[in-house]
Amino acid sequence: MYSPLELTKYLSSGTIKGINVFINAMMVLEKGGYLIIDELENHFNKEIASTLIRFFMNHDVNKKGASIIFSTHYSELLDEFERNDDIFIVKNNGGISVENLSKLLTRNDIKKSEIYQSGYLHGTAPEYEAYIDLKKAIIKNANREV
């Protein structure tokens, strides 16, 4: 039998995270409660993350009403949700705020990922001007060292 530390010699970090997350998900789904994951996509591909979310949405799998709470940078995962009131958006408009998507978007028939990526929600991604300023600073710094 291998100790958990020895497994890091043989398994990828994604496999180790997957084992831990899915074991914890099984326990929460069995008893009810909450599973909290920061940056769900970290070490997972989109399909693995989507599968985990679907387990919590499937009433045959989730008979105790367990909840998954996660943060992500995969806006495509928003499309897994049928209802907007299941989603909270973190925004930075001169300070961090959290808003329920149902307050920002009343329609459910639009792809949530496209709305998010379009900039319609304002404050969810760096401004283009900030990107340009960063690019100029990097170029200026690179030229200084030549």
Side-chain angles (χ1 to χ4, degrees), residues 2-12 16:
Y2 293 104
S3 78
L5 288 176
E6 286 180 290
L7 289 178
T8 61
K9 295 178 188 174
Y10 306 103
L11 301 175
S12 71
I16 292 170

Short mmCIF file of all heavy atoms in Angstrom, two decimals, residues 2-12 16:
data_model
loop_
_atom_site.label_atom_id
_atom_site.label_comp_id
_atom_site.label_asym_id
_atom_site.label_seq_id
_atom_site.Cartn_x
_atom_site.Cartn_y
_atom_site.Cartn_z
N TYR A 2 0.58 2.18 -0.86
CA TYR A 2 1.35 3.41 -0.97
C TYR A 2 0.77 4.48 -0.07
O TYR A 2 -0.44 4.58 0.10
CB TYR A 2 1.35 3.91 -2.42
CG TYR A 2 2.08 3.01 -3.38
CD1 TYR A 2 1.38 2.19 -4.24
CD2 TYR A 2 3.47 3.00 -3.41
CE1 TYR A 2 2.06 1.36 -5.13
CE2 TYR A 2 4.14 2.18 -4.31
CZ TYR A 2 3.43 1.37 -5.15
OH TYR A 2 4.11 0.56 -6.02
N SER A 3 1.65 5.30 0.47
CA SER A 3 1.18 6.46 1.21
C SER A 3 0.78 7.53 0.20
O SER A 3 1.27 7.52 -0.94
CB SER A 3 2.27 6.99 2.14
OG SER A 3 3.22 7.73 1.40
N PRO A 4 -0.09 8.47 0.61
CA PRO A 4 -0.46 9.55 -0.32
C PRO A 4 0.73 10.32 -0.87
O PRO A 4 0.74 10.73 -2.02
CB PRO A 4 -1.36 10.44 0.54
CG PRO A 4 -1.95 9.51 1.55
CD PRO A 4 -0.85 8.53 1.84
N LEU A 5 1.78 10.49 -0.07
CA LEU A 5 2.97 11.20 -0.55
C LEU A 5 3.70 10.42 -1.63
O LEU A 5 4.24 10.98 -2.56
CB LEU A 5 3.91 11.52 0.61
CG LEU A 5 3.43 12.61 1.58
CD1 LEU A 5 4.39 12.76 2.74
CD2 LEU A 5 3.27 13.93 0.85
N GLU A 6 3.72 9.10 -1.51
CA GLU A 6 4.38 8.28 -2.51
C GLU A 6 3.64 8.30 -3.85
O GLU A 6 4.25 8.17 -4.91
CB GLU A 6 4.49 6.83 -2.03
CG GLU A 6 5.55 6.62 -0.96
CD GLU A 6 5.61 5.18 -0.55
OE1 GLU A 6 4.66 4.71 0.10
OE2 GLU A 6 6.61 4.52 -0.90
N LEU A 7 2.31 8.50 -3.80
CA LEU A 7 1.52 8.52 -5.03
C LEU A 7 1.94 9.66 -5.96
O LEU A 7 1.82 9.55 -7.16
CB LEU A 7 0.03 8.64 -4.71
CG LEU A 7 -0.61 7.40 -4.09
CD1 LEU A 7 -2.08 7.66 -3.78
CD2 LEU A 7 -0.47 6.19 -5.02
N THR A 8 2.48 10.75 -5.38
CA THR A 8 2.90 11.88 -6.22
C THR A 8 4.06 11.50 -7.14
O THR A 8 4.29 12.19 -8.13
CB THR A 8 3.29 13.11 -5.37
OG1 THR A 8 4.39 12.76 -4.52
CG2 THR A 8 2.12 13.59 -4.54
N LYS A 9 4.75 10.42 -6.83
CA LYS A 9 5.83 9.95 -7.70
C LYS A 9 5.28 9.27 -8.95
O LYS A 9 5.96 9.20 -9.97
CB LYS A 9 6.71 8.94 -6.95
CG LYS A 9 7.47 9.50 -5.79
CD LYS A 9 8.26 8.39 -5.12
CE LYS A 9 8.90 8.85 -3.84
NZ LYS A 9 9.54 7.73 -3.12
N TYR A 10 4.05 8.75 -8.86
CA TYR A 10 3.51 7.91 -9.92
C TYR A 10 2.31 8.51 -10.65
O TYR A 10 2.01 8.12 -11.77
CB TYR A 10 3.10 6.55 -9.35
CG TYR A 10 4.22 5.89 -8.61
CD1 TYR A 10 4.26 5.88 -7.22
CD2 TYR A 10 5.28 5.29 -9.29
CE1 TYR A 10 5.30 5.28 -6.53
CE2 TYR A 10 6.33 4.70 -8.61
CZ TYR A 10 6.33 4.70 -7.23
OH TYR A 10 7.37 4.11 -6.56
N LEU A 11 1.60 9.45 -10.00
CA LEU A 11 0.38 10.00 -10.57
C LEU A 11 0.53 11.49 -10.85
O LEU A 11 1.22 12.20 -10.11
CB LEU A 11 -0.80 9.78 -9.62
CG LEU A 11 -1.12 8.33 -9.26
CD1 LEU A 11 -2.23 8.27 -8.21
CD2 LEU A 11 -1.51 7.53 -10.50
N SER A 12 -0.16 11.96 -11.87
CA SER A 12 -0.12 13.40 -12.16
C SER A 12 -0.91 14.17 -11.12
O SER A 12 -1.75 13.61 -10.41
CB SER A 12 -0.73 13.67 -13.54
OG SER A 12 -2.13 13.46 -13.50
N ILE A 16 -4.39 13.08 -9.04
CA ILE A 16 -4.50 13.15 -7.58
C ILE A 16 -5.65 14.08 -7.19
O ILE A 16 -6.46 13.75 -6.33
CB ILE A 16 -3.17 13.61 -6.96
CG1 ILE A 16 -2.11 12.52 -7.15
CG2 ILE A 16 -3.34 13.96 -5.49
CD1 ILE A 16 -0.71 12.93 -6.80
#
